[in-house]
Short mmCIF file of all heavy atoms in Angstrom, two decimals:
data_model
loop_
_atom_site.label_atom_id
_atom_site.label_comp_id
_atom_site.label_asym_id
_atom_site.label_seq_id
_atom_site.Cartn_x
_atom_site.Cartn_y
_atom_site.Cartn_z
N ILE A 1 59.99 179.92 72.59
CA ILE A 1 59.02 178.83 72.56
C ILE A 1 59.70 177.51 72.90
O ILE A 1 60.82 177.24 72.46
CB ILE A 1 58.27 178.74 71.21
CG1 ILE A 1 59.21 178.48 70.06
CG2 ILE A 1 57.47 180.00 70.95
CD1 ILE A 1 58.49 178.10 68.78
N GLY A 2 59.01 176.73 73.70
CA GLY A 2 59.50 175.41 74.06
C GLY A 2 59.24 174.43 72.93
O GLY A 2 58.15 174.39 72.37
N MET A 3 60.25 173.65 72.61
CA MET A 3 60.16 172.64 71.55
C MET A 3 60.50 171.27 72.12
O MET A 3 61.11 170.45 71.46
CB MET A 3 61.10 173.01 70.41
CG MET A 3 60.74 174.31 69.70
SD MET A 3 59.23 174.18 68.75
CE MET A 3 59.80 173.14 67.41
N TYR A 4 60.12 171.02 73.36
CA TYR A 4 60.32 169.80 74.11
C TYR A 4 61.78 169.61 74.51
O TYR A 4 62.11 169.70 75.67
CB TYR A 4 59.79 168.57 73.37
CG TYR A 4 59.88 167.30 74.21
CD1 TYR A 4 59.04 167.12 75.30
CD2 TYR A 4 60.82 166.33 73.93
CE1 TYR A 4 59.14 165.99 76.09
CE2 TYR A 4 60.92 165.19 74.72
CZ TYR A 4 60.07 165.02 75.80
OH TYR A 4 60.18 163.90 76.57
N SER A 5 62.67 169.34 73.55
CA SER A 5 64.07 169.08 73.90
C SER A 5 64.98 170.29 73.69
O SER A 5 66.17 170.24 74.02
CB SER A 5 64.61 167.89 73.10
OG SER A 5 64.53 168.16 71.72
N TYR A 6 64.44 171.36 73.15
CA TYR A 6 65.22 172.59 72.94
C TYR A 6 64.24 173.76 72.90
O TYR A 6 63.03 173.58 72.95
CB TYR A 6 66.07 172.52 71.68
CG TYR A 6 65.30 172.48 70.38
CD1 TYR A 6 65.09 173.64 69.64
CD2 TYR A 6 64.78 171.28 69.88
CE1 TYR A 6 64.38 173.61 68.45
CE2 TYR A 6 64.07 171.25 68.70
CZ TYR A 6 63.87 172.41 67.98
OH TYR A 6 63.17 172.38 66.80
N LEU A 7 64.80 174.96 72.82
CA LEU A 7 64.01 176.18 72.73
C LEU A 7 64.26 176.85 71.38
O LEU A 7 65.34 176.68 70.80
CB LEU A 7 64.41 177.18 73.83
CG LEU A 7 64.19 176.74 75.27
CD1 LEU A 7 64.90 177.71 76.21
CD2 LEU A 7 62.71 176.69 75.58
N GLU A 8 63.29 177.62 70.94
CA GLU A 8 63.50 178.50 69.79
C GLU A 8 63.28 179.93 70.25
O GLU A 8 62.42 180.20 71.08
CB GLU A 8 62.54 178.17 68.65
CG GLU A 8 62.87 176.87 67.96
CD GLU A 8 61.97 176.57 66.76
OE1 GLU A 8 60.90 177.20 66.61
OE2 GLU A 8 62.36 175.70 65.97
N ILE A 9 64.07 180.84 69.69
CA ILE A 9 63.92 182.27 69.94
C ILE A 9 63.56 182.92 68.62
O ILE A 9 64.28 182.76 67.63
CB ILE A 9 65.22 182.89 70.51
CG1 ILE A 9 65.62 182.20 71.81
CG2 ILE A 9 65.05 184.39 70.70
CD1 ILE A 9 66.99 182.63 72.34
N TRP A 10 62.46 183.64 68.61
CA TRP A 10 61.95 184.30 67.41
C TRP A 10 61.75 185.78 67.66
O TRP A 10 61.39 186.19 68.77
CB TRP A 10 60.58 183.73 67.05
CG TRP A 10 60.56 182.34 66.54
CD1 TRP A 10 60.61 181.19 67.28
CD2 TRP A 10 60.46 181.93 65.17
NE1 TRP A 10 60.55 180.10 66.44
CE2 TRP A 10 60.46 180.53 65.16
CE3 TRP A 10 60.38 182.63 63.97
CZ2 TRP A 10 60.37 179.80 63.98
CZ3 TRP A 10 60.29 181.90 62.80
CH2 TRP A 10 60.29 180.51 62.80
N ALA A 11 61.93 186.59 66.63
CA ALA A 11 61.47 187.97 66.67
C ALA A 11 59.94 187.90 66.70
O ALA A 11 59.34 187.05 66.04
CB ALA A 11 61.95 188.74 65.44
N THR A 12 59.32 188.77 67.46
CA THR A 12 57.87 188.73 67.63
C THR A 12 57.14 188.79 66.30
O THR A 12 56.22 188.00 66.06
CB THR A 12 57.41 189.89 68.54
OG1 THR A 12 58.13 189.82 69.77
CG2 THR A 12 55.93 189.82 68.82
N ASP A 13 57.56 189.67 65.41
CA ASP A 13 56.87 189.81 64.13
C ASP A 13 57.11 188.63 63.20
O ASP A 13 56.30 188.34 62.33
CB ASP A 13 57.22 191.13 63.44
CG ASP A 13 58.70 191.30 63.17
OD1 ASP A 13 59.51 190.61 63.79
OD2 ASP A 13 59.04 192.13 62.31
N ALA A 14 58.22 187.91 63.37
CA ALA A 14 58.47 186.71 62.56
C ALA A 14 57.70 185.51 63.10
O ALA A 14 57.27 184.65 62.33
CB ALA A 14 59.96 186.40 62.54
N TRP A 15 57.52 185.44 64.42
CA TRP A 15 56.81 184.31 65.02
C TRP A 15 55.32 184.35 64.72
O TRP A 15 54.70 183.31 64.52
CB TRP A 15 57.05 184.29 66.53
CG TRP A 15 56.17 183.32 67.26
CD1 TRP A 15 55.24 183.60 68.20
CD2 TRP A 15 56.14 181.89 67.11
NE1 TRP A 15 54.63 182.46 68.64
CE2 TRP A 15 55.17 181.39 67.98
CE3 TRP A 15 56.84 180.99 66.29
CZ2 TRP A 15 54.88 180.03 68.09
CZ3 TRP A 15 56.55 179.64 66.39
CH2 TRP A 15 55.58 179.17 67.28
N GLN A 16 54.73 185.53 64.68
CA GLN A 16 53.27 185.62 64.55
C GLN A 16 52.72 184.91 63.31
O GLN A 16 51.77 184.14 63.43
CB GLN A 16 52.80 187.08 64.60
CG GLN A 16 51.31 187.20 64.77
CD GLN A 16 50.80 186.52 66.04
OE1 GLN A 16 51.30 186.74 67.13
NE2 GLN A 16 49.79 185.67 65.89
N PRO A 17 53.29 185.09 62.10
CA PRO A 17 52.74 184.36 60.96
C PRO A 17 52.94 182.85 61.07
O PRO A 17 52.11 182.06 60.61
CB PRO A 17 53.48 184.91 59.75
CG PRO A 17 54.48 185.86 60.24
CD PRO A 17 54.29 186.07 61.70
N VAL A 18 54.04 182.42 61.69
CA VAL A 18 54.27 180.99 61.90
C VAL A 18 53.20 180.45 62.84
O VAL A 18 52.59 179.41 62.59
CB VAL A 18 55.70 180.73 62.45
CG1 VAL A 18 55.88 179.27 62.83
CG2 VAL A 18 56.74 181.17 61.45
N ARG A 19 52.97 181.18 63.90
CA ARG A 19 51.93 180.77 64.87
C ARG A 19 50.56 180.73 64.22
O ARG A 19 49.79 179.78 64.42
CB ARG A 19 51.94 181.72 66.06
CG ARG A 19 50.96 181.32 67.12
CD ARG A 19 51.02 182.25 68.29
NE ARG A 19 50.15 181.75 69.33
CZ ARG A 19 49.68 182.49 70.29
NH1 ARG A 19 50.01 183.76 70.37
NH2 ARG A 19 48.89 181.97 71.19
N ASP A 20 50.25 181.75 63.44
CA ASP A 20 48.95 181.78 62.75
C ASP A 20 48.79 180.57 61.84
O ASP A 20 47.73 179.96 61.78
CB ASP A 20 48.80 183.07 61.93
CG ASP A 20 48.66 184.30 62.80
OD1 ASP A 20 48.40 184.17 64.02
OD2 ASP A 20 48.85 185.41 62.26
N ASP A 21 49.87 180.21 61.15
CA ASP A 21 49.81 179.08 60.23
C ASP A 21 49.58 177.77 60.96
O ASP A 21 48.75 176.96 60.54
CB ASP A 21 51.11 179.00 59.41
CG ASP A 21 51.08 177.87 58.41
OD1 ASP A 21 50.16 177.83 57.57
OD2 ASP A 21 51.98 177.01 58.48
N ILE A 22 50.28 177.54 62.05
CA ILE A 22 50.12 176.27 62.76
C ILE A 22 48.80 176.18 63.50
O ILE A 22 48.34 175.08 63.81
CB ILE A 22 51.30 175.97 63.72
CG1 ILE A 22 51.43 177.04 64.78
CG2 ILE A 22 52.59 175.78 62.94
CD1 ILE A 22 52.51 176.78 65.82
N GLU A 23 48.19 177.32 63.77
CA GLU A 23 46.90 177.32 64.45
C GLU A 23 45.72 177.34 63.49
O GLU A 23 44.57 177.29 63.91
CB GLU A 23 46.82 178.49 65.43
CG GLU A 23 47.76 178.33 66.60
CD GLU A 23 47.73 179.48 67.57
OE1 GLU A 23 47.06 180.51 67.28
OE2 GLU A 23 48.36 179.37 68.62
N SER A 24 46.01 177.41 62.21
CA SER A 24 44.96 177.44 61.20
C SER A 24 44.20 176.13 61.18
O SER A 24 44.78 175.05 61.15
CB SER A 24 45.56 177.71 59.82
OG SER A 24 44.58 177.54 58.83
N SER A 25 42.89 176.21 61.16
CA SER A 25 42.07 174.99 61.09
C SER A 25 41.74 174.63 59.65
O SER A 25 41.09 173.63 59.40
CB SER A 25 40.78 175.18 61.90
OG SER A 25 40.02 176.24 61.35
N GLU A 26 42.20 175.43 58.70
CA GLU A 26 41.87 175.21 57.29
C GLU A 26 42.63 174.03 56.68
O GLU A 26 42.17 173.42 55.73
CB GLU A 26 42.16 176.47 56.48
CG GLU A 26 41.27 177.64 56.88
CD GLU A 26 41.66 178.91 56.16
OE1 GLU A 26 42.49 178.86 55.22
OE2 GLU A 26 41.13 179.96 56.55
N ASP A 27 43.79 173.72 57.20
CA ASP A 27 44.63 172.72 56.57
C ASP A 27 45.06 171.63 57.56
O ASP A 27 46.22 171.30 57.69
CB ASP A 27 45.87 173.39 55.96
CG ASP A 27 46.66 172.47 55.07
OD1 ASP A 27 46.11 171.42 54.65
OD2 ASP A 27 47.83 172.76 54.80
N LEU A 28 44.11 171.06 58.25
CA LEU A 28 44.42 170.04 59.26
C LEU A 28 44.93 168.74 58.64
O LEU A 28 45.59 167.95 59.31
CB LEU A 28 43.18 169.75 60.11
CG LEU A 28 42.73 170.90 61.02
CD1 LEU A 28 41.48 170.51 61.77
CD2 LEU A 28 43.83 171.30 61.97
N ALA A 29 44.68 168.53 57.35
CA ALA A 29 45.13 167.29 56.69
C ALA A 29 46.64 167.15 56.72
O ALA A 29 47.15 166.02 56.75
CB ALA A 29 44.63 167.25 55.26
N ARG A 30 47.39 168.24 56.72
CA ARG A 30 48.84 168.15 56.72
C ARG A 30 49.37 167.47 57.99
O ARG A 30 50.43 166.87 57.96
CB ARG A 30 49.48 169.52 56.55
CG ARG A 30 49.23 170.44 57.72
CD ARG A 30 49.84 171.79 57.51
NE ARG A 30 49.26 172.74 58.43
CZ ARG A 30 49.64 173.97 58.54
NH1 ARG A 30 50.58 174.43 57.78
NH2 ARG A 30 49.07 174.76 59.41
N TRP A 31 48.63 167.54 59.08
CA TRP A 31 49.08 166.91 60.32
C TRP A 31 48.84 165.40 60.31
O TRP A 31 49.51 164.67 61.00
CB TRP A 31 48.37 167.53 61.52
CG TRP A 31 48.50 169.02 61.57
CD1 TRP A 31 47.49 169.91 61.49
CD2 TRP A 31 49.70 169.80 61.68
NE1 TRP A 31 47.98 171.20 61.55
CE2 TRP A 31 49.33 171.16 61.67
CE3 TRP A 31 51.05 169.48 61.80
CZ2 TRP A 31 50.26 172.18 61.78
CZ3 TRP A 31 51.97 170.51 61.89
CH2 TRP A 31 51.58 171.84 61.88
N GLU A 32 47.91 164.94 59.49
CA GLU A 32 47.61 163.51 59.42
C GLU A 32 48.81 162.71 58.90
O GLU A 32 48.96 161.54 59.25
CB GLU A 32 46.39 163.26 58.53
CG GLU A 32 45.12 163.79 59.14
CD GLU A 32 43.92 163.66 58.20
OE1 GLU A 32 44.05 163.01 57.14
OE2 GLU A 32 42.87 164.21 58.51
N ASN A 33 49.65 163.30 58.10
CA ASN A 33 50.82 162.61 57.55
C ASN A 33 51.88 162.31 58.59
O ASN A 33 52.80 161.54 58.34
CB ASN A 33 51.45 163.44 56.42
CG ASN A 33 50.52 163.56 55.24
OD1 ASN A 33 49.70 162.68 54.99
ND2 ASN A 33 50.63 164.66 54.53
N LEU A 34 51.76 162.89 59.77
CA LEU A 34 52.75 162.67 60.83
C LEU A 34 52.54 161.31 61.53
O LEU A 34 53.41 160.85 62.25
CB LEU A 34 52.70 163.79 61.87
CG LEU A 34 53.09 165.18 61.36
CD1 LEU A 34 52.90 166.20 62.46
CD2 LEU A 34 54.52 165.19 60.87
#
């Protein structure tokens, strides 16, 4: 995955829950703090 200035390499099964979490629409408030 591209992270703008670097790359990350993940095992497919480890990446999927991370991806699911960041794509969740249930907790959008956490992004407002950025």
Side-chain angles (χ1 to χ4, degrees):
I1 61 168
M3 296 290 289
Y4 186 71
S5 60
Y6 67 97
L7 297 168
E8 289 184 344
I9 301 173
W10 290 81
T12 305
D13 59 341
W15 170 243
Q16 192 58 51
V18 173
R19 183 178 185 201
D20 291 345
D21 182 57
I22 60 176
E23 292 179 353
S24 171
S25 62
E26 295 175 10
D27 191 17
L28 293 178
R30 66 182 163 176
W31 306 117
E32 291 175 9
N33 295 331
L34 295 176

